Amino acid sequence: MLKMQYKDFVWSNNPRSYTLRCERQTALQKVPMGGFTVQELGRSCMVLHGEGEFFGADAMRQMRELMRVFRQEGAGVLIHPAWTGGTAVFTQLRLTQKTVGDYVAYEI
């Protein structure tokens, strides 16, 4: 399976779960006598959320590398194993547990 990649970081093992949120912006307008109309304002950005783990002797090194990429300014190319790649902005990185030797869990 293709490995997920963002900028120059390649995941050693893909995140365990993914959620891709897509939304369309709308505006409701009340019409006299009880009706309404819906105005489409276009799509919003897509948001990818994932959870995963790094494990093995270099788990903390991998987490530090991901943090290094997170700290970089600007957008980068995201290559995802299930969806078409595109330009993305890394907006969140969360360590979700205490590190235990060769295991680190995270959320993106």
Side-chain angles (χ1 to χ4, degrees):
M1 173 180 250
L2 181 67
K3 301 281 185 171
M4 192 162 95
Q5 180 176 342
Y6 179 68
K7 293 185 177 180
D8 65 344
F9 182 82
V10 179
W11 272 256
S12 58
N13 52 298
N14 289 332
R16 164 176 34 86
S17 66
Y18 307 97
T19 303
L20 182 64
R21 188 178 78 221
C22 305
E23 295 179 354
R24 184 172 302 279
Q25 298 294 316
T26 59
L28 296 177
Q29 297 173 335
K30 181 86 169 126
V31 175
M33 309 306 282
F36 66 91
T37 61
V38 177
Q39 179 183 8
E40 290 193 41
L41 302 174
R43 294 180 303 169
S44 293
C45 63
M46 294 190 291
V47 177
L48 173 71
H49 177 265
E51 298 179 12
E53 303 85 22
F54 295 123
F55 45 86
D58 67 342
M60 279 307 296
R61 182 195 60 77
Q62 292 178 70
M63 187 64 192
R64 283 191 298 271
E65 280 297 303
L66 187 57
M67 182 63 74
R68 177 189 61 78
V69 172
F70 175 77
R71 288 180 176 146
Q72 293 174 355
E73 299 276 327
V77 174
L78 173 66
I79 299 171
H80 189 279
W83 298 298
T84 304
T87 302
V89 175
F90 203 156
T91 60
Q92 128 180 329
L93 176 60
R94 193 174 314 174
L95 183 66
T96 60
Q97 70 168 45
K98 292 180 182 178
T99 55
V100 180
D102 61 354
Y103 179 85
V104 181
Y106 64 87
E107 291 181 21
I108 53 173

